[in-house]
Amino acid sequence: SQQGEEDPQALSIQEGENATMNCSYKTSINNLQWYRQNSGRGLVHLILIRSNEREKHSGRLRVTLDTSKKSSSLLITASRAADTASYFCATDAIRGSTLGRLYFGRGTQLTVWP
Amino acid sequence: EAGVAQSPRYKIIEKRQSVAFWCNPISGHATLYWYQQILGQGPKLLIQFQNNGVVDDSQLPKDRFSAERLKGVDSTLKIQPAKLEDSAVYLCASSPGDTDTQYFGPGTRLTVL
């Protein structure tokens, strides 16, 4: 499988704490994306990091990518109750796959308590 | 800018019945995707269109699922006949090209009884 796999499956923290989610994948990629999904809703794109980038920031989000370890992490700083959602990493694949096709993991369910 | 629209939002049918879902992508987006998301899992690509041509339908169960994209804009996904295991959320997404960020619609939650 070329899917990314998130870790942990579930994460529960208090407001104000930082949340870190990890993603591992199996094949060489062009880019890796992180999406958020609120309960009963569609996915919302958070951030895209390309294979030649090591770190990227967007507001309270920080994403790192280590292509040698085939892993990425998403850090949400100063979490809020509104950050409660499922977070998915999605990878494309350089070879053996249709251009643009994304492979999603099972996601990490983040719960932020007020 | 209007987002990806999908209808209906919810559908309940009995097994062996037929069902159709509709998607209107963001204006100007060439690529359209249909995903199936089973409870507790990530989305799985069913079919990918580039304009009105099929680019990837390798994961589409073609004996019961069909999809079309009329004039490279709107798309419909049909299931005929439905099985219990088809219960899932069906997500439509679009992107300007084939390597860009994908924008998702709210999804259609299908329950097959």
Side-chain angles (χ1 to χ4, degrees), chain A residues 35-108:
Chain A
Y35 287 81
R36 182 187 73 220
Q37 185 176 36
N38 291 83
S39 180
R41 301 285 193 87
L43 280 76
V44 174
H45 179 260
L46 296 176
I47 199 163
L48 181 153
I49 186 165
R50 303 197 184 279
S51 60
N52 61 354
E53 297 175 309
R54 291 296 167 259
E55 188 170 311
K56 206 162 182 179
H57 296 253
S58 177
R60 293 183 296 113
L61 306 180
R62 182 174 79 100
V63 169
T64 62
L65 178 64
D66 187 336
T67 53
S68 66
K69 295 182 179 178
K70 292 187 170 59
S71 67
S72 173
S73 67
L74 170 66
L75 169 67
I76 303 174
T77 59
S79 63
R80 305 166 182 168
D83 294 328
T84 295
S86 292
Y87 291 81
F88 295 91
C89 72
T91 57
D92 67 356
I94 289 180
R95 283 180 293 275
S97 179
T98 304
L99 197 62
R101 176 171 179 171
L102 291 180
Y103 298 84
F104 287 84
R106 290 176 175 266
T108 292

Side-chain angles (χ1 to χ4, degrees), chain A residues 3 31 33 35 37 40-45 48 50 88 97-107, chain B residues 9 33 35 37 40-43 45 48 55-56 58-59 91 98-102 104-107 109:
Chain A
Q3 270 188 337
N31 62 64
Q33 304 181 43
Y35 287 81
Q37 185 176 36
R41 301 285 193 87
L43 280 76
V44 174
H45 179 260
L48 181 153
R50 303 197 184 279
F88 295 91
S97 179
T98 304
L99 197 62
R101 176 171 179 171
L102 291 180
Y103 298 84
F104 287 84
R106 290 176 175 266
Chain B
R9 290 296 311 278
Y33 311 80
Y35 290 88
Q37 185 178 21
Q41 298 183 18
L45 181 71
Q48 177 180 340
V55 174
D56 187 340
S58 58
Q59 298 297 301
L91 296 163
D98 50 21
T99 58
D100 300 299
T101 297
Q102 296 183 20
F104 284 79
R109 182 176 297 276

Side-chain angles (χ1 to χ4, degrees), chain B residues 57-70:
Chain B
D57 63 356
S58 58
Q59 298 297 301
L60 188 73
K62 298 180 187 64
D63 58 334
R64 297 184 301 106
F65 286 64
S66 64
E68 61 180 0
R69 189 178 185 193
L70 302 173

